[in-house]
Amino acid sequence: MTAALAAPTAAPAPALDGLPLTVGLAGREVLLVGAGPVSARRARTFLEAGAHLRVVAPAIAPEMADVMAGAGDGVVVVARSFTPADLETPWMVHVATGDAQVDAEIAALCEARRIWCVTAGDAALGSVRVPARTAVATPAGLVRIAVDSGDPRRSVRVGRHVARSLATAPAGLRARRRPEAGWVALVGGCGDGDLLTVRARRLVHAADVLVVDGAADVGLVAELDDDVEVIEAGSGLPAARVADLIAARRAAGHGVVRIVAAPTLAAAARDLEDAGVEFQLVPGVV
């Protein structure tokens, strides 16, 4: 008798060794112990987040000097070795002294005082890791991507790959929060997702409303969020009425993409202009 094969089971999701967070550092002090090239790179990251930096180190590397020159009052430098009293005011500490024992001692002090600590030499010693960061521009604003793989160089490569993937296949980039003003894009095409330009696809996936002549491509609609409104303008709607619908959706703060065939692109543009609708024009593939 042949034994029945057991059904394959899905592999368990890997356990996370930490909770990814976005930390608000604007106006808060970050202490950097060490002023070498690694600290300089992280200093730029913390400054971009709006932090006030205090650097404690007996010597300043040229890279850190360049950061200081451009940061003005945003960086205070104390030219000496670290002392425990340096932990009285910071919200976060970044340690990169080049001495593993010193880094470990400072990390232990931070742990005892419940201060978040990043240890550049050995991430396992600290309580916080700084991920590799990148961003993708969308019509609804920037999408920031943070990657933490445990290997900084690998994290950078993965982040770049994700950013490139989103730029060419931008599903999921639509913002759910309504901006103060909506936007409209007039896209040349026939509604077939395979024939849209990369820029057009990014706009479609960022839109709240998709307006097409006739039935939209099923595959394209299937990629959209369930609450995206699809208007079939070719179903007997007068051109002026279509323009008014677009104007109303834009006034409500929605992002609208109108897809029309190349021969009627100019006429659709005139209809929007007559309705007083500002729009960006995205020609199709000729």
Side-chain angles (χ1 to χ4, degrees):
M1 182 172 64
T2 303
L5 295 175
T9 57
L16 295 176
D17 63 351
L19 178 64
L21 296 172
T22 298
V23 179
L25 293 178
R28 293 171 175 157
E29 181 183 312
V30 175
L31 171 67
L32 282 77
V33 184
V38 173
S39 294
R41 290 197 298 271
R42 291 287 171 75
R44 295 184 190 278
T45 297
F46 294 138
L47 287 170
E48 289 173 1
H52 297 307
L53 303 187
R54 188 158 57 92
V55 181
V56 174
I60 307 298
E63 294 87 346
M64 182 62 80
D66 290 342
V67 173
M68 295 161 49
D73 297 336
V75 179
V76 174
V77 177
V78 182
R80 59 165 171 75
S81 297
F82 169 85
T83 68
D86 291 319
L87 299 181
E88 292 180 358
T89 55
W91 290 69
M92 181 182 293
V93 175
H94 179 276
V95 183
T97 67
D99 186 319
Q101 182 176 347
V102 173
D103 288 358
E105 291 173 354
I106 296 174
L109 288 172
C110 290
E111 181 69 18
R113 301 189 185 201
R114 300 181 181 181
I115 301 173
W116 295 119
C117 180
V118 182
T119 50
D122 184 351
L125 295 176
S127 53
V128 179
R129 290 196 299 265
V130 179
R133 303 174 307 128
T134 186
V136 176
T138 77
L142 281 179
V143 174
R144 293 175 175 82
I145 301 165
V147 179
D148 177 16
S149 69
D151 179 340
R153 290 185 177 84
R154 179 171 180 246
S155 296
V156 169
R157 293 196 301 271
V158 171
R160 289 172 178 169
H161 173 74
V162 172
R164 287 194 299 268
S165 297
L166 289 176
T168 55
L173 295 186
R174 176 172 162 252
R176 298 304 182 95
R177 293 182 181 179
R178 301 289 180 225
E180 294 182 0
W183 52 271
V184 176
L186 183 59
V187 172
C190 59
D192 186 339
D194 292 336
L195 299 180
L196 294 176
T197 64
V198 171
R199 181 184 175 196
R201 287 184 65 83
R202 294 181 68 184
L203 288 165
V204 167
H205 282 285
D208 304 298
V209 182
L210 180 64
V211 184
V212 294
D213 290 330
D217 177 66
V218 174
L220 180 63
V221 174
E223 297 176 3
L224 307 180
D225 292 335
D226 293 338
D227 58 344
V228 172
E229 182 182 10
V230 180
I231 299 176
E232 296 182 4
S235 304
L237 285 177
R241 174 58 178 160
V242 173
D244 289 341
L245 286 172
I246 293 174
R249 300 301 191 275
R250 180 183 182 278
H254 296 278
V256 184
V257 170
R258 168 81 163 107
I259 301 179
V260 295
T264 58
L265 190 61
R270 286 194 298 270
D271 293 335
L272 292 177
E273 290 171 351
D274 292 343
V277 178
E278 295 183 3
F279 62 92
Q280 56 179 301
L281 183 63
V282 184
V285 178
V286 179

